[in-house]
Amino acid sequence: MTDSMTAKIVHLTINRPWTAVYAFASDHSKMPLWAAGLASGLTPQGDDWIASGPLGNVTVRFAKPNDLGVIDHVVTMPDGLEVYNALRVTPNGDGCEIAFTVLQLPGMSDDDFKNDAKLVYNDLITLKKMLETT
């Protein structure tokens, strides 16, 4: 059994109905608009999606569409490492919370972990701005 990784939940409130946020955020074709790590885009390949990045091509498998606000996805790195990413949209009054669980992967420095969390936060800010101004 492996040790638990350090985790940080990055979240913020979006002043839009959760169903609208879920519909937009879970649309794989729109993810590159707000998720900087996917700026090169996602290409469908069977049930998976392929993203190109500085480390090469990664495979992304998303949770099936659902009515619970779950946009979890597993990213398989070129070396075979699988990274589970929990991304959730939760109703909160007339708006919602969006939360991403960032894990400190084995061998990741504390500074890299903090930077990763900051990048995720910036992505969520971008998403919030896009959705609250439309």
Coordinates of all heavy atoms in Angstrom, one line a residue, residues 19-35 38 41-42 49 62-63 65 70-71 87 89 98 127 130-131:
T19 N -25.9 24.0 -12.9 CA -26.1 23.2 -14.1 C -25.4 23.9 -15.3 O -24.8 23.2 -16.2 CB -27.6 23.0 -14.4 OG1 -28.2 24.3 -14.3 CG2 -28.2 22.0 -13.4
A20 N -25.4 25.2 -15.4 CA -24.8 25.9 -16.5 C -23.2 25.8 -16.4 O -22.6 25.6 -17.4 CB -25.2 27.4 -16.4
V21 N -22.7 25.9 -15.1 CA -21.3 25.8 -14.9 C -20.8 24.3 -15.3 O -19.8 24.2 -16.0 CB -20.9 26.1 -13.5 CG1 -19.4 25.8 -13.2 CG2 -21.2 27.6 -13.2
Y22 N -21.6 23.3 -14.8 CA -21.2 22.0 -15.2 C -21.3 21.8 -16.7 O -20.4 21.1 -17.3 CB -22.2 21.0 -14.5 CG -22.0 19.6 -14.9 CD1 -20.9 18.8 -14.4 CD2 -22.8 19.0 -15.9 CE1 -20.7 17.5 -14.9 CE2 -22.6 17.7 -16.3 CZ -21.5 17.0 -15.8 OH -21.3 15.7 -16.2
A23 N -22.3 22.2 -17.4 CA -22.5 22.0 -18.8 C -21.3 22.6 -19.5 O -20.7 22.0 -20.5 CB -23.8 22.7 -19.3
F24 N -20.8 23.8 -19.2 CA -19.7 24.5 -19.8 C -18.4 23.8 -19.4 O -17.6 23.5 -20.3 CB -19.7 26.0 -19.5 CG -18.6 26.7 -20.2 CD1 -18.9 27.3 -21.5 CD2 -17.3 26.9 -19.7 CE1 -18.0 28.0 -22.2 CE2 -16.4 27.6 -20.5 CZ -16.7 28.1 -21.7
A25 N -18.2 23.6 -18.1 CA -16.9 23.1 -17.7 C -16.6 21.7 -18.1 O -15.5 21.2 -18.3 CB -16.8 23.2 -16.2
S26 N -17.7 20.9 -18.3 CA -17.5 19.5 -18.7 C -17.5 19.3 -20.2 O -17.3 18.2 -20.6 CB -18.6 18.6 -18.1 OG -19.9 19.0 -18.6
D27 N -17.7 20.4 -20.9 CA -17.6 20.3 -22.4 C -16.1 20.2 -22.8 O -15.4 21.2 -22.7 CB -18.3 21.5 -23.0 CG -18.3 21.4 -24.5 OD1 -17.5 20.8 -25.2 OD2 -19.2 22.1 -25.1
H28 N -15.7 19.1 -23.2 CA -14.2 18.8 -23.5 C -13.7 19.8 -24.6 O -12.5 20.2 -24.5 CB -14.0 17.4 -23.9 CG -14.6 16.4 -23.0 ND1 -14.5 16.5 -21.6 CD2 -15.2 15.3 -23.2 CE1 -15.2 15.5 -21.1 NE2 -15.6 14.7 -22.0
S29 N -14.6 20.2 -25.5 CA -14.1 21.1 -26.5 C -13.9 22.5 -26.0 O -13.1 23.3 -26.6 CB -15.1 21.1 -27.7 OG -16.3 21.7 -27.3
K30 N -14.5 22.9 -24.9 CA -14.3 24.2 -24.3 C -13.3 24.3 -23.2 O -12.9 25.4 -22.8 CB -15.7 24.7 -23.7 CG -16.7 24.9 -24.8 CD -18.0 25.4 -24.3 CE -19.0 25.6 -25.5 NZ -20.3 25.7 -25.0
M31 N -12.8 23.1 -22.7 CA -11.8 23.1 -21.7 C -10.5 23.9 -22.0 O -10.0 24.6 -21.2 CB -11.5 21.7 -21.2 CG -12.5 21.1 -20.4 SD -12.1 19.4 -19.9 CE -13.3 19.2 -18.6
P32 N -10.0 23.9 -23.2 CA -8.8 24.6 -23.6 C -9.0 26.2 -23.4 O -8.1 26.9 -23.3 CB -8.5 24.3 -25.0 CG -9.1 22.9 -25.2 CD -10.4 22.9 -24.3
L33 N -10.3 26.6 -23.4 CA -10.6 28.0 -23.2 C -10.3 28.5 -21.8 O -10.0 29.7 -21.6 CB -12.0 28.3 -23.6 CG -12.5 28.0 -25.0 CD1 -14.0 28.2 -25.1 CD2 -11.7 28.9 -26.0
W34 N -10.3 27.6 -20.8 CA -10.1 28.0 -19.4 C -9.1 27.3 -18.7 O -8.6 27.7 -17.7 CB -11.5 28.0 -18.7 CG -12.1 26.7 -18.6 CD1 -13.0 26.1 -19.5 CD2 -12.0 25.7 -17.6 NE1 -13.4 24.9 -19.1 CE2 -12.8 24.6 -17.9 CE3 -11.2 25.7 -16.4 CZ2 -12.8 23.5 -17.1 CZ3 -11.3 24.5 -15.6 CH2 -12.1 23.5 -15.9
A35 N -8.7 26.1 -19.2 CA -7.7 25.3 -18.5 C -6.4 25.4 -19.3 O -6.2 24.8 -20.3 CB -8.1 23.8 -18.4
L38 N -4.4 22.7 -21.0 CA -5.0 22.0 -22.1 C -5.1 23.0 -23.3 O -5.9 22.8 -24.2 CB -6.4 21.5 -21.8 CG -6.5 20.5 -20.7 CD1 -7.9 20.1 -20.4 CD2 -5.7 19.2 -21.1
G41 N -5.4 22.0 -26.8 CA -6.6 21.4 -27.2 C -6.7 19.9 -26.9 O -5.7 19.3 -26.5
L42 N -7.9 19.3 -27.0 CA -8.1 17.9 -26.8 C -8.6 17.3 -28.1 O -9.5 17.8 -28.7 CB -9.2 17.7 -25.7 CG -8.7 18.1 -24.3 CD1 -10.0 18.2 -23.4 CD2 -7.8 17.1 -23.7
W49 N -9.4 11.1 -24.5 CA -9.0 12.4 -25.2 C -7.5 12.5 -25.1 O -6.9 12.1 -24.1 CB -9.7 13.6 -24.6 CG -11.2 13.6 -24.7 CD1 -12.0 12.8 -24.1 CD2 -11.9 14.3 -25.7 NE1 -13.3 13.0 -24.5 CE2 -13.3 14.0 -25.5 CE3 -11.6 15.3 -26.6 CZ2 -14.3 14.5 -26.3 CZ3 -12.6 15.8 -27.4 CH2 -13.9 15.5 -27.2
F62 N -12.4 11.0 -19.0 CA -13.3 11.7 -18.2 C -14.4 10.9 -17.6 O -14.8 9.9 -18.2 CB -14.0 12.9 -19.0 CG -13.0 14.0 -19.4 CD1 -12.4 14.0 -20.6 CD2 -12.8 15.0 -18.5 CE1 -11.5 15.0 -20.9 CE2 -11.9 16.0 -18.8 CZ -11.3 16.0 -20.1
A63 N -15.0 11.3 -16.5 CA -16.2 10.7 -15.9 C -17.3 10.8 -17.0 O -17.3 11.8 -17.7 CB -16.6 11.3 -14.6
P65 N -20.9 11.8 -18.5 CA -21.8 12.9 -18.1 C -22.8 12.4 -17.0 O -23.2 11.2 -17.0 CB -22.6 13.1 -19.4 CG -21.6 12.7 -20.5 CD -20.9 11.5 -19.9
V70 N -20.0 16.0 -11.4 CA -18.7 15.3 -11.3 C -18.0 15.4 -12.7 O -18.5 14.9 -13.7 CB -18.8 13.9 -10.9 CG1 -17.4 13.2 -10.9 CG2 -19.4 13.8 -9.5
I71 N -16.8 16.1 -12.7 CA -16.0 16.2 -13.9 C -14.6 15.5 -13.7 O -13.6 15.9 -14.2 CB -15.8 17.6 -14.4 CG1 -17.2 18.4 -14.3 CG2 -15.3 17.7 -15.8 CD1 -17.0 19.9 -14.5
L87 N -12.6 16.9 -9.9 CA -13.2 18.2 -10.3 C -14.7 18.2 -10.1 O -15.3 17.4 -10.7 CB -12.8 18.6 -11.7 CG -13.3 19.9 -12.3 CD1 -12.9 21.1 -11.4 CD2 -12.9 20.1 -13.7
V89 N -18.5 20.3 -9.4 CA -19.4 21.5 -9.3 C -20.5 21.2 -8.3 O -21.2 20.2 -8.5 CB -20.0 21.9 -10.7 CG1 -20.8 23.1 -10.6 CG2 -18.8 22.1 -11.7
I98 N -17.0 25.5 -7.4 CA -16.2 24.6 -8.2 C -14.9 24.2 -7.5 O -14.3 25.1 -6.9 CB -15.9 25.1 -9.6 CG1 -15.3 24.0 -10.5 CG2 -15.1 26.4 -9.6 CD1 -15.5 24.2 -12.0
L127 N -12.3 30.5 -15.6 CA -13.6 29.9 -15.8 C -14.7 30.8 -15.2 O -15.7 31.1 -15.9 CB -13.7 28.5 -15.2 CG -15.0 27.8 -15.3 CD1 -15.3 27.5 -16.8 CD2 -14.9 26.5 -14.5
M130 N -15.2 33.9 -17.4 CA -15.9 33.6 -18.6 C -17.4 33.4 -18.4 O -18.2 33.9 -19.1 CB -15.3 32.3 -19.2 CG -13.9 32.5 -19.8 SD -13.3 30.9 -20.4 CE -14.2 30.9 -22.0
L131 N -17.7 32.7 -17.3 CA -19.1 32.4 -17.0 C -19.9 33.5 -16.4 O -21.1 33.6 -16.7 CB -19.2 31.1 -16.2 CG -18.8 29.9 -16.9 CD1 -18.7 28.7 -15.9 CD2 -19.7 29.5 -18.1

